Amino acid sequence: MTKRLFVRGNEAICLGALEAGCRHYFGYPITPQNDIPEFMSREIPKLNGEFIQAESEVAAINMVLGAAATGVRAMTSSSSPGISLKMESVSYMAAMEVPCLIVNISRSGPGLGGIDASQGDYFQAVKGGGHGGYHIIVLAPASIQEMYDLTMLAFDLAEKYRSPAMILGDAVVGQMKEPLAPRPKPDTELIEKNWALRGTGEGEQRVIKSLYLGDGELEAHNWKLHAKYSLMKEKECRWEESHTDDAKILVTAFGSAARIAKTAVAMARDEGMKVGFLRPITLFPFPEKAFRDATLRCKKVLDIELNTGQMVEDVRLSVARDADVFFYGRPSGTGSLPTPEELFAQIKKYY
Amino acid sequence: MEQAGTPAYKSDRLPLHKIDQRSPLMRYDLLIAGFGGQGALLAGTVLCYAAMIEGKNVSYLPSYGPEKRGGAAMCTVVITDGDVGSPVVGNPSVGILLNQLSLEKYGPRIKPGGICIVNSSLADTSHINRTDIEIFEMPMNEIAMGIGDARLVNMVALGAYAAKTGAVGEKSLEMALKDALPERNHKYIPVNIKAIEAGVEIIRKALAGENPAEADSSKMAEKALTA
């Protein structure tokens, strides 16, 4: 076994991105993700890549667009207010089908909010975030190992589906440290990028654009994007589950909240309560079938989030018709992170 | 990576959340708090490296806010043979509390039956009315000064923690310093080891019947050093 590293989540993302072959990083500083540009500014130049601290978030994401359009693996990272600024270009990239990685180590909002862990950006992440009606791939790591693994997966999925992909984390998974086994990049089939811009020269002209003015052109493009999202839903859902077979109530949460919830589930199990656990890893595509299958048997679901209720809407749309979905959440701010004991009390309440 | 369309992890193994004497699997959780500069966060980091040397799983969650030097600093650490589960610990089984503010804020949160290791140089436990926890007081500042530097308070505390709980071996802690400290600070490792040993020694003596709270602090430091 290779020696385990002991790193912050933000650093694990960088290690994963570099292992995945990303050599182009563009960003603008914001707490609590500054470890990412710090790490990249130190390491990328050694690998003959390009690190640019841009003049703004908007500039950074458009640099990602430009770099990624040439077929290289490019990324940016920011936190909630900065991600909002980037959304115009994310919409463009979804339309242009440019693959890239966007990391959101989200903080509390709305507005400038605070710098504490929050899951208030769920809607923005999974419903598109920008204008025009689109989706991007959204992965929600819950451990330092996953920060690394899912970053590599995000690049692969982005290229496979020609779509931006997002890692949605928060200050807990970004700042906490855990052991990391830096596995080598999975041996995925590389897809030939026959769309990538490569300058003038031999060969056919390639165009990457989001403006479609011809009669019927844009509608056809939207149906094409839609078909892609349907394919993702069919093929790419990932989740974690335990004790779902005999559960009387199913606890669900994503990211850092899922870590706290899982210990609460363990506390309940120790008292003989039949509690199951289901954690979506892909937030888009949302693991609808996993919820449907589990709620064919178990008719109560308790959704826990660090907000006032966002993923719970997707849970309600996914469960069997006769299942009840309850919600417990804490909107973020200093001192508002729930404890396992607090979540255990909620499990008892709805059990 | 996992197959898409199926659970990435389907396992009925849940995180350990309490120490079960019947189980060979162990779990320790700890909260370390003080003011910025006392080394609460470094203590947590060294402890994690030590546990990793022993092949354990760990998590280290620093308090993360608009912190500043002299302000509050806190971290929670979980060490386990199994899944870590929550890195957030509501009621820690052990608290290392390095100043008065931390004692007041986190003392009441320690789990009944738990342990509180207090730096009596800067914190007064007389108004902590808890008979359901074990309180170990030691004048860590004086002990650290006795070794040569007040900044060794965190290592004294770590030594005491390891000796009291057995969460990690003393030798692992000493080895962990190499992993936790940047190369340029490796010259300070011997003095840090001394501080860890002093902490260990005090707990050993306390467990043998001498109460560190009643002992004269400078003598304590001296004893710890010559031990």
Side-chain angles (χ1 to χ4, degrees):
Chain A
M1 194 174 103
T2 49
K3 191 178 173 184
R4 291 182 299 171
L5 307 172
F6 184 57
V7 294
R8 264 174 228 283
N10 285 336
E11 291 162 343
I13 282 183
C14 298
L15 290 165
L18 294 179
E19 177 62 25
C22 173
R23 296 290 181 271
H24 296 79
Y25 175 95
F26 310 95
Y28 185 81
I30 183 171
T31 302
Q33 62 82 54
N34 284 325
D35 315 279
I36 299 176
E38 184 190 351
F39 188 101
M40 289 307 213
S41 67
R42 191 176 64 232
E43 299 302 326
I44 281 191
K46 292 183 202 162
L47 300 165
N48 295 319
E50 197 67 65
F51 169 91
I52 295 180
Q53 180 173 319
E55 68 269 35
S56 71
E57 285 88 349
V58 178
I61 190 82
N62 282 295
M63 289 175 188
V64 170
L65 194 167
T70 69
V72 301
R73 289 193 159 182
M75 71 176 285
T76 186
S77 62
S78 191
S79 179
S80 309
I83 294 291
S84 291
L85 288 168
K86 291 179 194 287
M87 277 304 164
E88 179 197 38
S89 197
V90 176
S91 169
Y92 277 62
M93 281 191 279
M96 295 168 167
E97 299 186 88
V98 173
C100 69
L101 175 66
I102 300 146
V103 177
N104 182 2
I105 302 301
S106 62
R107 55 189 257 176
S108 22
L112 209 46
I115 59 173
D116 298 275
S118 163
Q119 298 184 326
D121 295 356
Y122 177 89
F123 279 150
Q124 183 195 49
V126 306
K127 307 295 178 193
H131 66 280
Y134 66 92
H135 291 286
I136 61 173
I137 297 152
V138 182
L139 306 175
S143 68
I144 301 318
Q145 187 67 47
E146 276 194 351
M147 291 289 255
Y148 178 85
D149 294 344
L150 294 182
T151 296
M152 295 198 287
L153 178 67
F155 274 113
D156 283 349
L157 291 180
E159 285 182 3
K160 186 171 172 189
Y161 291 94
R162 282 191 63 186
S163 162
M166 176 180 277
I167 294 285
L168 182 62
D170 62 31
V172 169
V173 285
Q175 295 296 328
M176 89 174 166
K177 285 188 186 180
E178 287 181 334
L180 168 69
R183 302 193 251 265
K185 179 172 130 39
D187 198 12
T188 40
E189 216 180 305
L190 278 184
I191 304 141
E192 201 210 326
K193 294 171 185 168
N194 57 6
W195 48 265
L197 305 183
R198 67 251 189 269
T200 53
E202 301 295 311
E204 85 289 12
Q205 186 189 33
R206 292 176 183 175
V207 176
I208 289 182
K209 63 171 188 174
S210 67
L211 183 68
Y212 294 91
L213 295 177
D215 201 10
E217 250 185 355
L218 187 53
E219 185 185 1
H221 184 60
N222 268 291
W223 282 121
K224 181 187 164 199
L225 295 179
H226 178 77
K228 196 163 76 173
Y229 304 141
S230 302
L231 192 64
M232 287 179 196
K233 283 186 187 179
E234 189 190 318
K235 303 250 186 223
E236 303 298 346
C237 291
R238 287 164 172 83
W239 68 94
E240 175 191 358
E241 64 175 81
S242 68
H243 291 284
T244 45
D245 293 335
D246 68 342
K248 269 181 69 186
I249 187 168
L250 191 64
V251 172
T252 184
F254 71 94
S256 57
R259 288 289 295 270
I260 309 171
K262 201 175 177 184
T263 289
V265 170
M267 292 165 106
R269 278 270 159 191
D270 265 12
E271 297 207 354
M273 297 164 73
K274 292 196 160 123
V275 183
F277 177 73
L278 202 163
R279 170 176 70 95
I281 295 171
T282 51
L283 299 183
F284 188 90
F286 192 73
E288 295 167 2
K289 195 174 168 295
F291 279 96
R292 194 146 47 247
D293 290 351
T295 50
L296 290 176
R297 301 181 297 270
C298 170
K299 296 301 174 190
K300 279 198 249 180
V301 180
L302 172 61
D303 173 287
I304 294 165
E305 299 176 54
L306 306 182
N307 58 46
T308 51
Q310 298 191 17
M311 182 176 83
V312 66
E313 295 189 2
D314 288 327
V315 173
R316 287 203 173 106
L317 289 171
S318 306
V319 294
R321 245 186 272 176
D322 57 345
D324 283 322
V325 178
F326 306 104
F327 175 76
Y328 182 74
R330 295 279 302 264
S332 70
T334 307
S336 74
L337 209 53
T339 62
E341 291 83 356
E342 180 181 340
L343 300 187
F344 179 36
Q346 291 299 317
I347 295 173
K348 279 195 215 157
K349 183 176 158 190
Y350 293 107
Y351 185 67
Chain B
M1 190 91 205
E2 69 284 354
Q3 277 284 312
T6 52
Y9 321 91
K10 179 156 189 186
S11 144
D12 284 345
R13 201 183 65 165
L14 287 167
L16 300 168
H17 69 91
K18 64 179 184 191
I19 302 173
D20 181 349
Q21 303 299 346
R22 292 159 304 176
S23 162
L25 299 177
M26 58 77 133
R27 180 187 188 280
Y28 296 93
D29 59 53
L30 164 71
L31 182 150
I32 313 176
F35 60 76
Q38 281 187 303
L41 301 188
L42 179 63
T45 308
V46 172
L47 182 61
C48 286
Y49 274 112
M52 282 173 64
I53 288 170
E54 297 182 2
K56 313 289 189 205
N57 289 325
V58 297
S59 77
Y60 162 88
L61 179 65
S63 62
Y64 193 77
E67 321 291 26
K68 60 183 189 294
R69 192 167 300 165
M74 188 273 276
C75 66
T76 51
V77 172
V78 177
I79 301 173
T80 175
D81 286 319
D83 255 23
V84 167
S86 176
V88 178
V89 180
N91 300 113
S93 41
V94 183
I96 295 180
L97 306 175
L98 300 176
N99 66 346
Q100 188 66 33
L101 200 69
S102 309
L103 178 64
E104 283 167 17
K105 191 167 173 192
Y106 300 111
R109 270 176 45 182
I110 293 174
K111 194 179 279 178
I115 300 162
C116 186
I117 299 171
V118 182
N119 177 12
S120 59
S121 312
L122 299 177
D124 172 16
T125 55
S126 57
H127 62 289
I128 300 287
N129 314 314
R130 289 197 64 174
T131 49
D132 59 341
I133 58 172
E134 228 180 318
I135 300 178
F136 280 87
E137 295 180 67
M138 55 189 74
M140 296 179 195
N141 279 52
E142 282 78 9
I143 296 165
M145 290 289 277
I147 298 163
D149 198 317
R151 287 175 294 180
L152 295 166
V153 160
N154 55 350
M155 294 300 136
V156 174
L158 259 192
Y161 171 77
K164 176 59 193 156
T165 63
V168 294
E170 192 188 326
K171 280 283 161 283
S172 310
L173 274 182
E174 298 179 7
M175 281 161 69
L177 287 167
K178 222 174 174 176
D179 293 327
L181 298 177
E183 192 90 36
R184 65 176 189 280
N185 289 338
H186 281 194
K187 57 180 182 280
Y188 301 118
I189 289 178
V191 70
N192 279 277
I193 290 177
K194 261 191 184 173
I196 290 170
E197 284 168 351
V200 169
E201 203 49 44
I202 284 164
I203 289 293
R204 287 213 181 117
K205 289 201 170 142
L207 294 177
E210 294 173 45
N211 186 348
E214 286 164 12
D216 175 73
S217 58
S218 57
K219 264 195 201 148
M220 287 256 318
E222 205 179 302
K223 267 198 281 179
L225 276 175
T226 50

